[in-house]
Amino acid sequence: MAYTVDKNQLCVDGVALSDIADAVATPTYVYSADVMTTQYHNLENAMVRNLPADQQPLLCYACKANSNIAVLSLLRSLGSGLEIVSGGELHRGLRAGFNPKHIVMTGVGKQRQEIIDCLEAGIKQFNVESLPELEHIQNVASDIGKKATVVFRLNPNVSGGGHDKISTGRERDKFGLNLENVHNAYAMAQDMSHVEAIGLSMHIGSQVFQVLSFRKAFETLPDIVKGLRDKGYNVSSLDIGGGFPIQYNDEELLDLDAYAEWVGQIIAPLGTDIIMEPGRYLVGNAGVLLTKTLYTKHTRERDFLILDAAMNDLIRPTLYDAYHGIEKVSKDGEDEETFYDVVGPICETGDTFSKDRALPVMKTGDLVVIKEAGAYGMCMASNYNTRGLPAEVLVQDGAFHVIRKRQSVDEILDKDIVPDHLK
Ligand code: LLP
């Protein structure tokens, strides 16, 4: 994120966060189009440098990371494809104008209507995660007279991921098929009238900072591909997933070229099309959660900074003990620092963004940003404590645009139905 300070106010790409708070109120997610664009080009260019021109990957943005339709439209305009995990995400992608031929569907529990919608839209492929799911896709496709292109998600039994809850590549995780079942799946697909199997996919986890795990997982592929081809199966497409990490604090990260080099050295020689599913890398560093100090509270043991954002707006610290930078927006009188437990108003002790964080002394009304919140922030927000979902704003070319309105309490309450006998 390109932060600057102008007139003592923290700015994102030249726009003062205090102006956004005045216009849109808080809590609000603020995204930088510029950072998303730069990240996309960084990834694309690393691949250009390390892979043959005729094997450039299709980058299918994993929109579970941030699925606002304006964000999707921006990434689509850069040339991105899309990875989806639900019918809802399919419809977001279609509204954002993605070519269905650039959409891949993953997920362990694809449902009939989602499969129908994807087939009717004409998506590129389904990444299949179990044998019953393969049968289900065959049946649904046959019912509506369409052919489904599938790849099989291999579970390489490699550990990766920044937290146990976001590691997906171990055999004990619910994802993918082991090698034996990949062979079984190909054999089954051969006898299926409405399914065509064209390759494999893999995704070992998210925020994979033990980056050698990627290489380890890639290295399983050449033998497996050979084994399948020896049986006459078509392996012409490999989807190598997402998971590339970003910096939240002081993590030492692999440089992208090393990763791209492994793709070039291990995957490219297999002569397949290559798909990648980056999520966090494209949007994580591009967003902040802009929030306001409600109160400071001092007890004999701790000093609390109570914000108007809470775990319902950004659940990562509570759910994964994730670190997010926290910064005061106004740079006036920052000399004095103190240590705060930074919390939200929700009635759980777990509603804590950070413990013992060194920050300038704060007072009611002071704006604060919680940083690196562009991925898995808004899209995981909930209505817990009947709190409306935050607004979202995109900063682009020196101006800001509201890309999602704040949810009103009425919008939440209107969904509830009281049966007549309880009125
Ligand atoms: N492909 C598949 C099949 C996935 O399951 C995921 C993420 C991705 C791609 C994108 O991974 P990325 O490049 O963003 O690491 N809520 C968690 C992260 C969950 C990731 C789930 N799957 C968090 O806040 O850290």
Side-chain angles (χ1 to χ4, degrees):
M1 202 105 172
Y3 298 107
T4 48
V5 175
D6 187 32
K7 300 192 189 92
N8 280 332
Q9 290 295 320
L10 189 66
C11 300
V12 162
D13 297 341
V15 174
L17 287 159
S18 54
D19 288 349
I20 296 177
D22 286 346
V24 189
T26 53
T28 292
Y29 278 96
V30 180
Y31 308 125
S32 157
D34 198 41
V35 174
M36 292 181 191
T37 306
T38 304
Q39 292 295 95
Y40 186 86
H41 287 144
N42 284 348
L43 184 56
E44 190 177 46
N45 291 336
M47 296 302 150
V48 167
R49 284 192 295 275
N50 289 283
L51 269 74
D54 60 350
Q55 270 187 302
Q56 286 303 307
L58 176 63
L59 303 180
C60 289
Y61 168 57
C63 70
K64 58 177 81 67
N66 182 331
S67 55
N68 185 291
I69 298 171
V71 170
L72 300 190
S73 302
L74 172 70
L75 290 165
R76 191 253 308 130
S77 75
L78 300 174
S80 181
L82 199 67
E83 184 254 5
I84 58 168
V85 292
S86 68
E89 288 189 350
L90 170 72
H91 293 294
R92 282 184 177 274
L94 295 177
R95 266 206 210 174
F98 279 90
N99 176 348
K101 284 281 148 246
H102 295 162
I103 298 180
V104 303
M105 189 194 202
T106 72
V108 295
K110 301 177 190 73
Q111 301 180 43
R112 181 177 174 87
Q113 192 57 48
E114 295 175 323
I115 297 168
I116 291 175
D117 288 356
C118 285
L119 285 170
E120 280 176 349
I123 67 162
K124 184 175 178 60
Q125 69 186 43
F126 295 89
N127 294 7
V128 171
E129 305 231 9
S130 68
L131 302 179
E133 184 189 69
L134 176 62
E135 280 175 23
H136 191 211
I137 291 175
Q138 153 67 18
N139 292 338
V140 175
S142 155
D143 288 348
I144 65 165
K146 301 260 182 204
K147 193 147 195 171
T149 303
V150 303
V151 304
F152 300 118
R153 179 167 173 179
L154 172 75
N155 181 320
N157 198 17
V158 170
S159 166
H163 187 278
D164 188 54
K165 290 183 181 150
I166 55 173
S167 292
T168 54
R170 305 160 298 189
E171 184 123 13
R172 66 173 180 275
D173 299 321
K174 68 180 173 182
F175 299 97
L177 296 155
N178 65 18
L179 181 56
E180 190 188 336
N181 278 327
V182 164
H183 278 263
N184 293 336
Y186 260 104
M188 281 166 65
Q190 253 193 340
D191 297 331
M192 289 178 168
S193 51
H194 289 75
V195 159
E196 187 186 1
I198 62 160
L200 300 174
S201 72
M202 190 155 87
H203 171 77
I204 59 170
S206 193
Q207 188 62 5
V208 180
F209 56 80
Q210 323 85 327
V211 286
L212 285 174
S213 302
F214 284 120
R215 191 168 78 189
K216 208 164 145 196
F218 293 165
E219 279 170 347
T220 63
L221 284 173
D223 278 352
I224 293 174
V225 170
K226 181 170 184 310
L228 291 165
R229 285 178 174 161
D230 285 349
K231 286 190 182 167
Y233 298 139
N234 172 12
V235 189
S236 55
S237 180
L238 289 175
D239 177 342
I240 57 173
F244 203 81
I246 63 166
Q247 200 167 39
Y248 285 95
N249 190 7
D250 52 6
E251 301 91 340
E252 256 191 54
L253 299 184
L254 172 77
D255 101 65
L256 202 48
D257 271 290
Y259 173 87
E261 218 176 280
W262 297 337
V263 181
Q265 286 169 356
I266 305 165
I267 309 288
L270 302 173
T272 65
D273 292 341
I274 301 172
I275 297 172
M276 293 172 64
E277 301 170 357
R280 186 190 318 264
Y281 181 77
L282 298 182
V283 294
N285 294 133
V288 296
L289 177 56
L290 177 60
T291 164
K292 191 176 65 186
T293 304
L294 296 177
Y295 308 102
T296 56
K297 173 172 173 174
H298 310 280
T299 71
R300 268 185 290 192
E301 291 193 25
R302 335 272 309 169
D303 288 336
F304 293 97
L305 177 64
I306 304 172
L307 302 175
D308 68 356
M311 63 189 273
N312 75 297
D313 303 305
L314 176 65
I315 202 170
R316 302 193 72 257
T318 307
L319 193 57
Y320 313 118
D321 295 319
Y323 177 95
H324 285 262
I326 298 175
E327 188 171 336
K328 189 179 172 196
V329 168
S330 163
K331 301 299 172 189
D332 287 336
E334 275 206 13
D335 312 331
E336 210 188 326
E337 278 212 339
T338 188
F339 289 89
Y340 287 113
D341 282 6
V342 183
V343 301
I346 279 180
C347 49
E348 288 200 27
T349 300
D351 183 23
T352 297
F353 292 112
S354 175
K355 286 192 178 295
D356 268 331
R357 187 67 67 91
L359 284 167
V361 171
M362 301 280 193
K363 59 180 187 318
T364 297
D366 280 343
L367 295 171
V368 168
V369 281
I370 303 179
K371 297 160 97 172
E372 328 308 346
Y376 305 110
M378 180 63 175
C379 55
M380 294 178 80
S382 77
N383 288 133
Y384 190 34
N385 279 204
T386 308
R387 290 166 51 90
L389 298 177
E392 293 179 287
V393 160
L394 183 71
V395 176
Q396 192 166 22
D397 301 329
F400 72 86
H401 311 271
V402 175
I403 58 169
R404 186 185 163 103
K405 287 191 226 161
R406 185 175 311 286
Q407 188 184 31
S408 70
V409 169
D410 278 345
E411 285 174 274
I412 306 174
L413 301 193
D414 285 350
K415 295 277 181 229
D416 290 10
I417 299 167
V418 182
D420 280 343
H421 70 277
L422 290 177
K423 281 182 183 160

mmCIF file with all atom_site columns, all heavy atoms in Angstrom, residues 9 51 77-78 83 85 123 166-168 176 256 266 313 320 342 345 356 375 393 408 416:
data_model
loop_
_atom_site.group_PDB
_atom_site.id
_atom_site.type_symbol
_atom_site.label_atom_id
_atom_site.label_alt_id
_atom_site.label_comp_id
_atom_site.label_asym_id
_atom_site.label_entity_id
_atom_site.label_seq_id
_atom_site.pdbx_PDB_ins_code
_atom_site.Cartn_x
_atom_site.Cartn_y
_atom_site.Cartn_z
_atom_site.occupancy
_atom_site.B_iso_or_equiv
_atom_site.pdbx_formal_charge
_atom_site.auth_seq_id
_atom_site.auth_comp_id
_atom_site.auth_asym_id
_atom_site.auth_atom_id
_atom_site.pdbx_PDB_model_num
ATOM 1   N N   . GLN A 1 9   ? -1.921  13.776  8.031   1.00 0.00 ? 9   GLN A N   1
ATOM 2   C CA  . GLN A 1 9   ? -2.930  12.721  7.891   1.00 0.00 ? 9   GLN A CA  1
ATOM 3   C C   . GLN A 1 9   ? -2.389  11.601  7.012   1.00 0.00 ? 9   GLN A C   1
ATOM 4   O O   . GLN A 1 9   ? -1.840  11.866  5.935   1.00 0.00 ? 9   GLN A O   1
ATOM 5   C CB  . GLN A 1 9   ? -4.197  13.278  7.215   1.00 0.00 ? 9   GLN A CB  1
ATOM 6   C CG  . GLN A 1 9   ? -4.991  14.235  8.079   1.00 0.00 ? 9   GLN A CG  1
ATOM 7   C CD  . GLN A 1 9   ? -5.565  13.545  9.311   1.00 0.00 ? 9   GLN A CD  1
ATOM 8   O OE1 . GLN A 1 9   ? -6.035  12.412  9.240   1.00 0.00 ? 9   GLN A OE1 1
ATOM 9   N NE2 . GLN A 1 9   ? -5.490  14.223  10.450  1.00 0.00 ? 9   GLN A NE2 1
ATOM 10  N N   . LEU A 1 51  ? 8.960   -18.735 -17.477 1.00 0.00 ? 51  LEU A N   1
ATOM 11  C CA  . LEU A 1 51  ? 8.270   -19.808 -18.213 1.00 0.00 ? 51  LEU A CA  1
ATOM 12  C C   . LEU A 1 51  ? 8.267   -19.496 -19.707 1.00 0.00 ? 51  LEU A C   1
ATOM 13  O O   . LEU A 1 51  ? 8.234   -18.326 -20.088 1.00 0.00 ? 51  LEU A O   1
ATOM 14  C CB  . LEU A 1 51  ? 6.811   -19.924 -17.751 1.00 0.00 ? 51  LEU A CB  1
ATOM 15  C CG  . LEU A 1 51  ? 6.523   -20.887 -16.606 1.00 0.00 ? 51  LEU A CG  1
ATOM 16  C CD1 . LEU A 1 51  ? 6.983   -20.338 -15.284 1.00 0.00 ? 51  LEU A CD1 1
ATOM 17  C CD2 . LEU A 1 51  ? 5.044   -21.174 -16.548 1.00 0.00 ? 51  LEU A CD2 1
ATOM 18  N N   . SER A 1 77  ? -10.073 -6.749  -15.779 1.00 0.00 ? 77  SER A N   1
ATOM 19  C CA  . SER A 1 77  ? -9.564  -5.798  -16.781 1.00 0.00 ? 77  SER A CA  1
ATOM 20  C C   . SER A 1 77  ? -8.056  -5.965  -16.971 1.00 0.00 ? 77  SER A C   1
ATOM 21  O O   . SER A 1 77  ? -7.502  -5.557  -17.994 1.00 0.00 ? 77  SER A O   1
ATOM 22  C CB  . SER A 1 77  ? -9.895  -4.362  -16.379 1.00 0.00 ? 77  SER A CB  1
ATOM 23  O OG  . SER A 1 77  ? -9.037  -3.942  -15.322 1.00 0.00 ? 77  SER A OG  1
ATOM 24  N N   . LEU A 1 78  ? -7.385  -6.571  -15.981 1.00 0.00 ? 78  LEU A N   1
ATOM 25  C CA  . LEU A 1 78  ? -5.931  -6.796  -16.106 1.00 0.00 ? 78  LEU A CA  1
ATOM 26  C C   . LEU A 1 78  ? -5.628  -8.094  -16.853 1.00 0.00 ? 78  LEU A C   1
ATOM 27  O O   . LEU A 1 78  ? -4.475  -8.411  -17.126 1.00 0.00 ? 78  LEU A O   1
ATOM 28  C CB  . LEU A 1 78  ? -5.289  -6.846  -14.721 1.00 0.00 ? 78  LEU A CB  1
ATOM 29  C CG  . LEU A 1 78  ? -5.454  -5.587  -13.866 1.00 0.00 ? 78  LEU A CG  1
ATOM 30  C CD1 . LEU A 1 78  ? -4.895  -5.801  -12.459 1.00 0.00 ? 78  LEU A CD1 1
ATOM 31  C CD2 . LEU A 1 78  ? -4.762  -4.388  -14.523 1.00 0.00 ? 78  LEU A CD2 1
ATOM 32  N N   . GLU A 1 83  ? -11.051 -18.154 -9.999  1.00 0.00 ? 83  GLU A N   1
ATOM 33  C CA  . GLU A 1 83  ? -11.319 -19.420 -9.308  1.00 0.00 ? 83  GLU A CA  1
ATOM 34  C C   . GLU A 1 83  ? -12.481 -19.181 -8.371  1.00 0.00 ? 83  GLU A C   1
ATOM 35  O O   . GLU A 1 83  ? -12.489 -18.207 -7.618  1.00 0.00 ? 83  GLU A O   1
ATOM 36  C CB  . GLU A 1 83  ? -10.083 -19.869 -8.511  1.00 0.00 ? 83  GLU A CB  1
ATOM 37  C CG  . GLU A 1 83  ? -10.258 -21.228 -7.842  1.00 0.00 ? 83  GLU A CG  1
ATOM 38  C CD  . GLU A 1 83  ? -10.470 -21.150 -6.341  1.00 0.00 ? 83  GLU A CD  1
ATOM 39  O OE1 . GLU A 1 83  ? -10.583 -20.039 -5.785  1.00 0.00 ? 83  GLU A OE1 1
ATOM 40  O OE2 . GLU A 1 83  ? -10.547 -22.209 -5.700  1.00 0.00 ? 83  GLU A OE2 1
ATOM 41  N N   . VAL A 1 85  ? -15.675 -21.001 -5.723  1.00 0.00 ? 85  VAL A N   1
ATOM 42  C CA  . VAL A 1 85  ? -15.975 -22.162 -4.885  1.00 0.00 ? 85  VAL A CA  1
ATOM 43  C C   . VAL A 1 85  ? -17.468 -22.318 -4.632  1.00 0.00 ? 85  VAL A C   1
ATOM 44  O O   . VAL A 1 85  ? -17.865 -23.167 -3.838  1.00 0.00 ? 85  VAL A O   1
ATOM 45  C CB  . VAL A 1 85  ? -15.271 -22.089 -3.513  1.00 0.00 ? 85  VAL A CB  1
ATOM 46  C CG1 . VAL A 1 85  ? -13.779 -22.235 -3.651  1.00 0.00 ? 85  VAL A CG1 1
ATOM 47  C CG2 . VAL A 1 85  ? -15.616 -20.795 -2.799  1.00 0.00 ? 85  VAL A CG2 1
ATOM 48  N N   . ILE A 1 123 ? -18.230 -22.864 -17.946 1.00 0.00 ? 123 ILE A N   1
ATOM 49  C CA  . ILE A 1 123 ? -16.918 -22.607 -17.318 1.00 0.00 ? 123 ILE A CA  1
ATOM 50  C C   . ILE A 1 123 ? -15.851 -23.562 -17.880 1.00 0.00 ? 123 ILE A C   1
ATOM 51  O O   . ILE A 1 123 ? -16.170 -24.591 -18.487 1.00 0.00 ? 123 ILE A O   1
ATOM 52  C CB  . ILE A 1 123 ? -16.958 -22.719 -15.773 1.00 0.00 ? 123 ILE A CB  1
ATOM 53  C CG1 . ILE A 1 123 ? -17.220 -24.166 -15.318 1.00 0.00 ? 123 ILE A CG1 1
ATOM 54  C CG2 . ILE A 1 123 ? -17.947 -21.744 -15.168 1.00 0.00 ? 123 ILE A CG2 1
ATOM 55  C CD1 . ILE A 1 123 ? -16.835 -24.402 -13.865 1.00 0.00 ? 123 ILE A CD1 1
ATOM 56  N N   . ILE A 1 166 ? -5.595  -23.394 7.844   1.00 0.00 ? 166 ILE A N   1
ATOM 57  C CA  . ILE A 1 166 ? -5.536  -23.060 6.413   1.00 0.00 ? 166 ILE A CA  1
ATOM 58  C C   . ILE A 1 166 ? -4.483  -23.901 5.685   1.00 0.00 ? 166 ILE A C   1
ATOM 59  O O   . ILE A 1 166 ? -3.976  -23.526 4.645   1.00 0.00 ? 166 ILE A O   1
ATOM 60  C CB  . ILE A 1 166 ? -5.335  -21.538 6.168   1.00 0.00 ? 166 ILE A CB  1
ATOM 61  C CG1 . ILE A 1 166 ? -4.099  -20.978 6.904   1.00 0.00 ? 166 ILE A CG1 1
ATOM 62  C CG2 . ILE A 1 166 ? -6.577  -20.784 6.585   1.00 0.00 ? 166 ILE A CG2 1
ATOM 63  C CD1 . ILE A 1 166 ? -3.781  -19.534 6.551   1.00 0.00 ? 166 ILE A CD1 1
ATOM 64  N N   . SER A 1 167 ? -4.155  -25.068 6.263   1.00 0.00 ? 167 SER A N   1
ATOM 65  C CA  . SER A 1 167 ? -3.314  -26.058 5.575   1.00 0.00 ? 167 SER A CA  1
ATOM 66  C C   . SER A 1 167 ? -4.253  -27.063 4.926   1.00 0.00 ? 167 SER A C   1
ATOM 67  O O   . SER A 1 167 ? -5.162  -27.560 5.590   1.00 0.00 ? 167 SER A O   1
ATOM 68  C CB  . SER A 1 167 ? -2.418  -26.793 6.566   1.00 0.00 ? 167 SER A CB  1
ATOM 69  O OG  . SER A 1 167 ? -1.464  -25.907 7.078   1.00 0.00 ? 167 SER A OG  1
ATOM 70  N N   . THR A 1 168 ? -4.027  -27.350 3.658   1.00 0.00 ? 168 THR A N   1
ATOM 71  C CA  . THR A 1 168 ? -5.006  -28.177 2.943   1.00 0.00 ? 168 THR A CA  1
ATOM 72  C C   . THR A 1 168 ? -4.401  -29.389 2.254   1.00 0.00 ? 168 THR A C   1
ATOM 73  O O   . THR A 1 168 ? -5.130  -30.203 1.704   1.00 0.00 ? 168 THR A O   1
ATOM 74  C CB  . THR A 1 168 ? -5.708  -27.334 1.852   1.00 0.00 ? 168 THR A CB  1
ATOM 75  O OG1 . THR A 1 168 ? -4.698  -26.742 1.026   1.00 0.00 ? 168 THR A OG1 1
ATOM 76  C CG2 . THR A 1 168 ? -6.565  -26.242 2.445   1.00 0.00 ? 168 THR A CG2 1
ATOM 77  N N   . GLY A 1 176 ? -9.061  -32.962 -1.795  1.00 0.00 ? 176 GLY A N   1
ATOM 78  C CA  . GLY A 1 176 ? -8.366  -33.703 -2.835  1.00 0.00 ? 176 GLY A CA  1
ATOM 79  C C   . GLY A 1 176 ? -8.451  -35.212 -2.728  1.00 0.00 ? 176 GLY A C   1
ATOM 80  O O   . GLY A 1 176 ? -9.109  -35.783 -1.854  1.00 0.00 ? 176 GLY A O   1
ATOM 81  N N   . LEU A 1 256 ? 9.368   -14.044 -5.470  1.00 0.00 ? 256 LEU A N   1
ATOM 82  C CA  . LEU A 1 256 ? 8.444   -14.617 -6.431  1.00 0.00 ? 256 LEU A CA  1
ATOM 83  C C   . LEU A 1 256 ? 9.170   -15.334 -7.571  1.00 0.00 ? 256 LEU A C   1
ATOM 84  O O   . LEU A 1 256 ? 8.691   -16.329 -8.107  1.00 0.00 ? 256 LEU A O   1
ATOM 85  C CB  . LEU A 1 256 ? 7.602   -13.463 -6.981  1.00 0.00 ? 256 LEU A CB  1
ATOM 86  C CG  . LEU A 1 256 ? 6.264   -13.748 -7.585  1.00 0.00 ? 256 LEU A CG  1
ATOM 87  C CD1 . LEU A 1 256 ? 5.440   -14.648 -6.706  1.00 0.00 ? 256 LEU A CD1 1
ATOM 88  C CD2 . LEU A 1 256 ? 5.544   -12.422 -7.818  1.00 0.00 ? 256 LEU A CD2 1
ATOM 89  N N   . ILE A 1 266 ? 10.014  -27.417 -12.953 1.00 0.00 ? 266 ILE A N   1
ATOM 90  C CA  . ILE A 1 266 ? 9.381   -28.701 -12.601 1.00 0.00 ? 266 ILE A CA  1
ATOM 91  C C   . ILE A 1 266 ? 8.079   -28.935 -13.375 1.00 0.00 ? 266 ILE A C   1
ATOM 92  O O   . ILE A 1 266 ? 7.821   -30.036 -13.858 1.00 0.00 ? 266 ILE A O   1
ATOM 93  C CB  . ILE A 1 266 ? 9.098   -28.770 -11.071 1.00 0.00 ? 266 ILE A CB  1
ATOM 94  C CG1 . ILE A 1 266 ? 10.394  -28.514 -10.287 1.00 0.00 ? 266 ILE A CG1 1
ATOM 95  C CG2 . ILE A 1 266 ? 8.504   -30.125 -10.692 1.00 0.00 ? 266 ILE A CG2 1
ATOM 96  C CD1 . ILE A 1 266 ? 10.188  -28.214 -8.817  1.00 0.00 ? 266 ILE A CD1 1
ATOM 97  N N   . ASP A 1 313 ? -16.114 -7.845  11.742  1.00 0.00 ? 313 ASP A N   1
ATOM 98  C CA  . ASP A 1 313 ? -15.630 -7.147  10.538  1.00 0.00 ? 313 ASP A CA  1
ATOM 99  C C   . ASP A 1 313 ? -14.349 -7.787  10.013  1.00 0.00 ? 313 ASP A C   1
ATOM 100 O O   . ASP A 1 313 ? -14.145 -7.874  8.807   1.00 0.00 ? 313 ASP A O   1
ATOM 101 C CB  . ASP A 1 313 ? -15.337 -5.679  10.867  1.00 0.00 ? 313 ASP A CB  1
ATOM 102 C CG  . ASP A 1 313 ? -16.542 -4.965  11.440  1.00 0.00 ? 313 ASP A CG  1
ATOM 103 O OD1 . ASP A 1 313 ? -17.588 -4.979  10.782  1.00 0.00 ? 313 ASP A OD1 1
ATOM 104 O OD2 . ASP A 1 313 ? -16.444 -4.419  12.557  1.00 0.00 ? 313 ASP A OD2 1
ATOM 105 N N   . TYR A 1 320 ? -7.290  -17.042 13.624  1.00 0.00 ? 320 TYR A N   1
ATOM 106 C CA  . TYR A 1 320 ? -5.978  -17.657 13.315  1.00 0.00 ? 320 TYR A CA  1
ATOM 107 C C   . TYR A 1 320 ? -4.846  -17.056 14.142  1.00 0.00 ? 320 TYR A C   1
ATOM 108 O O   . TYR A 1 320 ? -3.668  -17.257 13.787  1.00 0.00 ? 320 TYR A O   1
ATOM 109 C CB  . TYR A 1 320 ? -5.617  -17.441 11.838  1.00 0.00 ? 320 TYR A CB  1
ATOM 110 C CG  . TYR A 1 320 ? -6.692  -17.731 10.839  1.00 0.00 ? 320 TYR A CG  1
ATOM 111 C CD1 . TYR A 1 320 ? -7.178  -16.712 10.018  1.00 0.00 ? 320 TYR A CD1 1
ATOM 112 C CD2 . TYR A 1 320 ? -7.205  -19.006 10.676  1.00 0.00 ? 320 TYR A CD2 1
ATOM 113 C CE1 . TYR A 1 320 ? -8.158  -16.960 9.069   1.00 0.00 ? 320 TYR A CE1 1
ATOM 114 C CE2 . TYR A 1 320 ? -8.197  -19.260 9.727   1.00 0.00 ? 320 TYR A CE2 1
ATOM 115 C CZ  . TYR A 1 320 ? -8.667  -18.237 8.940   1.00 0.00 ? 320 TYR A CZ  1
ATOM 116 O OH  . TYR A 1 320 ? -9.638  -18.479 7.998   1.00 0.00 ? 320 TYR A OH  1
ATOM 117 N N   . VAL A 1 342 ? -5.825  -3.970  21.796  1.00 0.00 ? 342 VAL A N   1
ATOM 118 C CA  . VAL A 1 342 ? -6.708  -3.328  20.817  1.00 0.00 ? 342 VAL A CA  1
ATOM 119 C C   . VAL A 1 342 ? -7.908  -4.246  20.593  1.00 0.00 ? 342 VAL A C   1
ATOM 120 O O   . VAL A 1 342 ? -7.742  -5.381  20.131  1.00 0.00 ? 342 VAL A O   1
ATOM 121 C CB  . VAL A 1 342 ? -5.947  -3.079  19.492  1.00 0.00 ? 342 VAL A CB  1
ATOM 122 C CG1 . VAL A 1 342 ? -6.841  -2.335  18.505  1.00 0.00 ? 342 VAL A CG1 1
ATOM 123 C CG2 . VAL A 1 342 ? -4.662  -2.304  19.755  1.00 0.00 ? 342 VAL A CG2 1
ATOM 124 N N   . PRO A 1 345 ? -15.992 -3.880  20.072  1.00 0.00 ? 345 PRO A N   1
ATOM 125 C CA  . PRO A 1 345 ? -17.071 -3.789  21.062  1.00 0.00 ? 345 PRO A CA  1
ATOM 126 C C   . PRO A 1 345 ? -17.837 -5.089  21.302  1.00 0.00 ? 345 PRO A C   1
ATOM 127 O O   . PRO A 1 345 ? -18.770 -5.088  22.096  1.00 0.00 ? 345 PRO A O   1
ATOM 128 C CB  . PRO A 1 345 ? -18.028 -2.758  20.441  1.00 0.00 ? 345 PRO A CB  1
ATOM 129 C CG  . PRO A 1 345 ? -17.395 -2.259  19.205  1.00 0.00 ? 345 PRO A CG  1
ATOM 130 C CD  . PRO A 1 345 ? -16.355 -3.235  18.804  1.00 0.00 ? 345 PRO A CD  1
ATOM 131 N N   . ASP A 1 356 ? -1.137  -5.866  23.814  1.00 0.00 ? 356 ASP A N   1
ATOM 132 C CA  . ASP A 1 356 ? 0.128   -5.170  24.109  1.00 0.00 ? 356 ASP A CA  1
ATOM 133 C C   . ASP A 1 356 ? 0.772   -4.529  22.892  1.00 0.00 ? 356 ASP A C   1
ATOM 134 O O   . ASP A 1 356 ? 1.976   -4.693  22.671  1.00 0.00 ? 356 ASP A O   1
ATOM 135 C CB  . ASP A 1 356 ? 1.137   -6.178  24.696  1.00 0.00 ? 356 ASP A CB  1
ATOM 136 C CG  . ASP A 1 356 ? 1.046   -6.198  26.199  1.00 0.00 ? 356 ASP A CG  1
ATOM 137 O OD1 . ASP A 1 356 ? 0.685   -5.166  26.784  1.00 0.00 ? 356 ASP A OD1 1
ATOM 138 O OD2 . ASP A 1 356 ? 1.343   -7.269  26.770  1.00 0.00 ? 356 ASP A OD2 1
ATOM 139 N N   . ALA A 1 375 ? -7.341  -9.096  1.989   1.00 0.00 ? 375 ALA A N   1
ATOM 140 C CA  . ALA A 1 375 ? -7.709  -10.488 1.700   1.00 0.00 ? 375 ALA A CA  1
ATOM 141 C C   . ALA A 1 375 ? -8.338  -11.107 2.937   1.00 0.00 ? 375 ALA A C   1
ATOM 142 O O   . ALA A 1 375 ? -7.815  -10.949 4.050   1.00 0.00 ? 375 ALA A O   1
ATOM 143 C CB  . ALA A 1 375 ? -6.478  -11.300 1.291   1.00 0.00 ? 375 ALA A CB  1
ATOM 144 N N   . VAL A 1 393 ? -14.490 0.731   0.017   1.00 0.00 ? 393 VAL A N   1
ATOM 145 C CA  . VAL A 1 393 ? -14.106 1.874   -0.814  1.00 0.00 ? 393 VAL A CA  1
ATOM 146 C C   . VAL A 1 393 ? -12.886 1.480   -1.638  1.00 0.00 ? 393 VAL A C   1
ATOM 147 O O   . VAL A 1 393 ? -11.982 0.816   -1.117  1.00 0.00 ? 393 VAL A O   1
ATOM 148 C CB  . VAL A 1 393 ? -13.779 3.082   0.108   1.00 0.00 ? 393 VAL A CB  1
ATOM 149 C CG1 . VAL A 1 393 ? -12.924 4.104   -0.600  1.00 0.00 ? 393 VAL A CG1 1
ATOM 150 C CG2 . VAL A 1 393 ? -15.049 3.721   0.653   1.00 0.00 ? 393 VAL A CG2 1
ATOM 151 N N   . SER A 1 408 ? -27.362 -1.663  6.442   1.00 0.00 ? 408 SER A N   1
ATOM 152 C CA  . SER A 1 408 ? -28.136 -1.040  7.526   1.00 0.00 ? 408 SER A CA  1
ATOM 153 C C   . SER A 1 408 ? -28.691 -2.122  8.442   1.00 0.00 ? 408 SER A C   1
ATOM 154 O O   . SER A 1 408 ? -28.817 -3.290  8.059   1.00 0.00 ? 408 SER A O   1
ATOM 155 C CB  . SER A 1 408 ? -29.283 -0.227  6.941   1.00 0.00 ? 408 SER A CB  1
ATOM 156 O OG  . SER A 1 408 ? -30.250 -1.107  6.393   1.00 0.00 ? 408 SER A OG  1
ATOM 157 N N   . ASP A 1 416 ? -35.663 -11.585 9.226   1.00 0.00 ? 416 ASP A N   1
ATOM 158 C CA  . ASP A 1 416 ? -36.295 -12.401 10.268  1.00 0.00 ? 416 ASP A CA  1
ATOM 159 C C   . ASP A 1 416 ? -37.808 -12.436 10.059  1.00 0.00 ? 416 ASP A C   1
ATOM 160 O O   . ASP A 1 416 ? -38.404 -11.441 9.631   1.00 0.00 ? 416 ASP A O   1
ATOM 161 C CB  . ASP A 1 416 ? -36.003 -11.816 11.658  1.00 0.00 ? 416 ASP A CB  1
ATOM 162 C CG  . ASP A 1 416 ? -34.553 -11.986 12.066  1.00 0.00 ? 416 ASP A CG  1
ATOM 163 O OD1 . ASP A 1 416 ? -33.752 -12.373 11.199  1.00 0.00 ? 416 ASP A OD1 1
ATOM 164 O OD2 . ASP A 1 416 ? -34.221 -11.737 13.237  1.00 0.00 ? 416 ASP A OD2 1
#
